[in-house]
Amino acid sequence: MLRALVAGLVLVAGLALPMVAPQPAHAVPPGTYAYVANFNDDTVSVIDTATNTVAVTVPVGDAPWGVAVSPNGTRAYVTNRADATVSVINTATDTVVATVPVGLEPLGVAVSPDGTRAYVTNFSADTVSVINTNTNTVVATIPVGDAPIGVAVSPNGTRAYVTNADADTVSVINTATNTVVATIPVGGFPFGVAVSPDSTRAYVTNSDDDTVSVINTATNTVVATVPVGDVPQGVAVSRDGTRVYAINADADTVSVINTATNTVVATVPVGDAPREVAVSPDGTRAYVTNANADTVSVINTATNTVVATVPVGDLPFGVAIGAVPRPAPALTLIKLTAGWTFTRGGQGTYTLTVTNTGDLPTDGSTVTLTDTLPAGLTPVSFSGTGWTCTLTPLSCTRSDILAIGASYPPLTLTVQIAPDVPKQVTNTATVTGGGATGTGIATATTTVDRKHQPKPPHHDRPDHGKPDHGKPWHGKPGHDRPDQGHRPGPR
C-alpha cells in the first residue's frame, strides 16, 4: 500500500544527498520549457520542449518534490521537502533568486492565475503556506486536513483545492480570505488534484482506491468516480478541458479520461514508477516523470503515444511547463505603513519602494507610480528623491534607468486620517513603465486606532467592585495532534 511505501521515502530524505556544484547563470532563449524536480539530486532539469533535451540543470534545495511555473513564465517555484523551503528560479537565467522558508515537509505547489501568490502544502504541518511572489515572503498560513499533498488553484483564481492524504478529504480555500470554506470527502489517500479550465470541475486521484473523484466546484460534492490504474498520483487537465491525464504509479501507465463521459478512453504505457504529469501550453504534449527510470516520457496527446523519452536527474518527481518570455525589466512595488498603525483625526505615513526584479535594466521611458487612497484618507504630501509627484492625481514619475536588482529612492506619502475612518484601511498602489511588462501592484492594510482619551481614576471605572474584579484570566489548555507517521512517495 502507498502508506507503507511513503514512510520509506522519509529515510531517503534524511540521508546525506549528493552535493551539487554551483552553476553560473545560464540564459535560455525564449521558448517553452519543462521543469523537472530531481528528488535525489537536489536539482531541477530544464527541458527544451522544442528539442526534448535538457538545456540546463539548476541546483535547488534539499530533496525537491513539486514544481510550479508562474503564468507569465518568469519564475519557477520548487518545494524542497527536507529543508522546508521553496526555491524561486529566475527562468531567464535559470538561477535561484530567492529561498523562502515554509512549513515542515513542503510537497505540492501552485501559483495563482494573476501570479501574485504561490500556495505550498506542508505535509507534516497540516498547513498551506501562502507566498507573496512580489516579496517572496509567507503572508498567510492556512490550517487544512491531515497530511496535505496536492494543491491546485482554480483558473478563475477564487479557490485553491488541497488533497489531505490521511483524512481522505479535499480542503477548499477561499483565496480572498485564506480560509477553508469547505471540506469534501473523496477516496482513499487522495494525492493529486487538478481543476478544469472553466473552474467547474476538480479531479482528484485516490491512490488507495485506484480511482479519480470528479468534484462539482459549485456544490463541493463528488459527482462521479472514475476507475483508473494502480496507485494513481499525479493528474492534469488538457488545455481544452476535454481530457484528464491520471498517472498510475504502480501500473507504469497514464489513464486518459474523457471529461464528457467520465470514462477512460486510452491507457498509455510510460516509464518505471511514473509520478507527475504536465500538459504543454499548446496542448499537444503531456510530460510524465518516471521516478525509477530517471526519465521523462513525452506523450503526443492526439495519438496517445510516447514520442520521446528524455533522461533527467535521479528520482524525478514534480514537473511543470512554462513559456519563458524574452528578457525584460520587471517593476516590483512594496508599500508599508510607517509605525504600522494610524490614529483617527491625525496623520499617517506610507513608504513606497520600486525595485527592478526583471532580467534587464529599465529602458529610460517614464515610470509611473499611482496611489489610490481609500475613503477617509486624504493626501497631504507625496515626495521622494528624483521623483516628480502630484497630489491630484496622486502619482509620481521618473525616467532614469533602473539597473537589475536595484531600487529607486523610496517615496513618502503622508495622509490625513478622518475621525470616522474604519478600523482598517487598505491602500493600493501600482507602478508601470520603464519597458517593463505588466503592472507592479502593492497593498497596505493598516489598523486605525481611536484618538487616545484620558483614563478614568481606578475607583471610577464601571467594573470596579464587581465580584470577579481583579481576578486573573485563565486560558484553556490546547492539545497536540498525534503524528500519524505517513509519508508520501514512490513505491
Side-chain angles (χ1 to χ4, degrees):
M1 297 296 288
L2 183 61
R3 284 178 171 86
L5 153 73
V6 179
L9 189 56
V10 175
L11 299 178
V12 174
L15 294 176
L17 298 175
M19 296 297 292
V20 178
Q23 292 190 356
H26 182 104
V28 296
T32 301
Y33 295 85
Y35 296 81
V36 177
N38 303 308
F39 187 86
N40 274 356
D41 278 351
D42 298 346
T43 63
V44 169
S45 296
V46 183
I47 299 173
D48 185 340
T49 62
T51 61
N52 285 324
T53 57
V54 174
V56 63
T57 301
V58 184
V60 288
D62 196 355
W65 179 286
V67 189
V69 178
S70 62
N72 63 8
T74 63
R75 296 292 184 269
Y77 299 84
V78 182
T79 56
N80 304 307
R81 176 175 179 169
D83 62 18
T85 63
V86 171
S87 295
V88 183
I89 297 174
N90 180 327
T91 59
T93 60
D94 282 321
T95 55
V96 173
V97 293
T99 301
V100 185
V102 288
L104 188 60
E105 289 194 276
L107 299 183
V109 57
V111 183
S112 62
D114 63 4
T116 64
R117 297 291 185 270
Y119 298 82
V120 176
T121 58
N122 303 307
F123 180 77
S124 288
D126 298 344
T127 61
V128 170
S129 296
V130 183
I131 298 172
N132 179 321
T133 58
N134 282 331
T135 61
N136 288 320
T137 57
V138 172
V139 292
T141 302
I142 308 169
V144 288
D146 195 4
I149 299 179
V151 58
V153 183
S154 60
N156 63 16
T158 64
R159 296 291 185 270
Y161 297 85
V162 177
T163 58
N164 305 308
D166 282 345
D168 298 342
T169 61
V170 170
S171 295
V172 183
I173 295 171
N174 181 323
T175 57
T177 61
N178 287 325
T179 56
V180 173
V181 293
T183 301
I184 307 169
V186 288
F189 207 82
F191 197 99
V193 58
V195 184
S196 62
D198 62 3
S199 300
T200 64
R201 295 291 185 271
Y203 298 86
V204 177
T205 52
N206 304 305
S207 293
D208 279 358
D209 290 351
D210 299 342
T211 61
V212 171
S213 295
V214 183
I215 295 172
N216 181 324
T217 59
T219 60
N220 288 324
T221 56
V222 173
V223 293
T225 302
V226 185
V228 289
D230 195 10
V231 189
Q233 291 192 0
V235 61
V237 185
S238 65
R239 301 297 172 173
D240 62 4
T242 64
R243 295 292 185 271
V244 168
Y245 301 89
I247 302 303
N248 304 309
D250 271 15
D252 299 341
T253 61
V254 176
S255 294
V256 183
I257 299 171
N258 181 321
T259 59
T261 60
N262 286 323
T263 56
V264 173
V265 293
T267 302
V268 185
V270 288
D272 188 9
R275 286 293 171 261
E276 295 287 346
V277 57
V279 180
S280 62
D282 63 5
T284 64
R285 298 291 186 270
Y287 286 71
V288 178
T289 55
N290 305 307
N292 289 352
D294 299 340
T295 62
V296 171
S297 295
V298 183
I299 297 173
N300 181 321
T301 57
T303 62
N304 287 322
T305 56
V306 173
V307 294
T309 301
V310 186
V312 289
D314 190 5
L315 207 69
F317 271 24
V319 58
I321 302 177
V324 176
R326 294 186 181 279
L331 297 179
T332 301
L333 179 61
I334 297 177
K335 182 169 188 174
L336 298 174
T337 305
W340 302 104
T341 60
F342 286 167
T343 301
R344 290 174 177 167
Q347 290 188 349
T349 302
Y350 294 105
T351 61
L352 300 93
T353 305
V354 177
T355 302
N356 181 4
T357 56
D359 311 306
L360 288 177
T362 57
D363 61 8
S365 60
T366 301
V367 172
T368 302
L369 186 150
T370 303
D371 200 295
T372 303
L373 291 177
L377 301 184
T378 55
V380 175
S381 63
F382 201 9
S383 63
T385 302
W387 291 92
T388 300
C389 301
T390 62
L391 296 183
T392 307
L394 190 58
S395 65
C396 296
T397 60
R398 64 190 303 150
S399 57
D400 49 321
I401 292 174
L402 185 62
I404 300 170
S407 299
Y408 284 130
L411 285 155
T412 300
L413 171 61
T414 301
V415 296
Q416 182 66 41
I417 304 155
D420 59 349
V421 74
K423 293 180 180 179
Q424 280 194 335
V425 290
T426 299
N427 190 346
T428 301
T430 61
V431 61
T432 58
T437 57
T439 301
I441 302 173
T443 60
T445 299
T446 306
T447 300
V448 182
D449 293 333
R450 294 181 178 178
K451 191 171 182 179
H452 297 298
Q453 300 290 338
K455 296 180 179 179
H458 178 73
H459 290 282
D460 292 339
R461 294 179 188 172
D463 61 346
H464 184 72
K466 290 185 179 180
D468 54 356
H469 175 65
K471 290 184 179 180
W473 178 86
H474 297 286
K476 295 181 180 179
H479 63 279
D480 294 329
R481 176 184 63 84
D483 189 354
Q484 301 299 319
H486 300 312
R487 298 290 186 272
R491 301 171 77 89

